[in-house]
Amino acid sequence: MTESDTPTSIERIESLIISVRGRKVIVDAYLARLYGVTTKRLNEQVRRNRQRFPEDFLFSLTAAEKDELVAKRDRFKMMKHSIVLPVAFTEFGAAMAATVLNSDAAVQTSVFIVRAFFKMRNLLATGLEIGQKLSELEHRLDDHDESIRDIVTAIRQLSSPTPHPARKIGFKAEGALD
């Protein structure tokens, strides 16, 4: 069975990963679905094992962040009327959640989740590399532009006639006055 044949493919998980506060996260409702448990059960297990979830593993969204998600992304409409603020799990938090749920489905799914986060991190790194290469190329082009300007200026100087004093037509007899 290949990754694309599984009900939980990397591409499906990638579509659930969002960026909040500059970090890639997956909200508790979707993580719970992936692990085959209710959101209530997931958050219950997280609370029972709070020492396993430092700040870089998860954080609660603010009301404004929740409202923005609901407004900008259709798939978060289910949270619109919820009074509970969603919890955002980072890659590490999602992996740790699998250990506190302690089910075979959670462990298997956590492998896909970690791979999805890893793939997205690599894509981001590739994008940064491309940006850096573009900056280098732009710098080189700036240097080329300056060189081209110098060449064009030199060609113009060579192609423009130099003014010579006008010569009088005719001949001048010796001893004649001008």
Side-chain angles (χ1 to χ4, degrees):
M1 182 184 276
T2 65
E3 289 175 7
S4 60
D5 296 333
T6 62
T8 306
S9 68
I10 291 176
E11 290 77 22
R12 178 171 170 239
I13 295 169
E14 281 178 12
S15 72
L16 301 175
I17 297 172
I18 58 172
S19 184
V20 178
R21 301 181 195 170
R23 299 162 80 183
K24 297 291 184 191
V25 297
I26 186 168
V27 294
D28 56 359
Y30 289 112
L31 186 61
R33 282 186 190 169
L34 290 171
Y35 285 158
V37 297
T38 64
T39 307
K40 181 179 178 179
R41 169 101 167 103
L42 172 67
N43 289 328
E44 184 179 85
Q45 288 300 86
V46 168
R47 279 191 303 279
R48 285 184 181 162
N49 295 281
R50 191 65 186 133
Q51 72 280 3
R52 292 184 180 204
F53 295 92
E55 286 182 20
D56 59 330
F57 281 34
L58 61 82
F59 57 89
S60 290
L61 298 181
T62 65
E65 289 168 334
K66 175 189 158 196
D67 292 343
E68 184 179 341
L69 279 180
V70 171
K72 288 186 175 179
R73 295 184 173 97
D74 287 339
R75 67 174 179 252
F76 292 104
K77 295 282 187 215
M78 65 183 183
M79 290 190 258
K80 185 173 187 174
H81 300 292
S82 174
I83 59 172
V84 179
L85 293 175
V87 176
F89 288 82
T90 65
E91 176 182 357
F92 306 118
M96 186 60 73
T99 65
V100 299
L101 290 173
N102 201 21
S103 72
D104 289 337
V107 171
Q108 288 177 334
T109 303
S110 70
V111 170
F112 287 103
I113 292 171
V114 170
R115 285 182 179 158
F117 273 104
F118 182 76
K119 184 176 176 185
M120 291 185 81
R121 188 174 39 246
N122 283 345
L123 288 174
L124 179 63
T126 301
L128 292 174
E129 285 176 25
I130 290 171
Q132 186 178 17
K133 297 235 185 245
L134 284 173
S135 292
E136 289 172 13
L137 182 60
E138 186 178 19
H139 180 68
R140 273 194 237 147
L141 287 177
D142 287 343
D143 291 345
H144 289 302
D145 286 348
E146 190 175 315
S147 298
I148 291 170
R149 269 187 242 115
D150 291 344
I151 292 169
V152 168
T153 302
I155 290 172
R156 284 190 178 139
Q157 288 174 352
L158 290 172
S159 65
S160 63
T162 55
H164 294 287
R167 290 180 25 200
K168 294 183 181 179
I169 298 176
F171 71 93
K172 189 174 179 184
E174 283 187 42
L177 299 171
D178 280 333

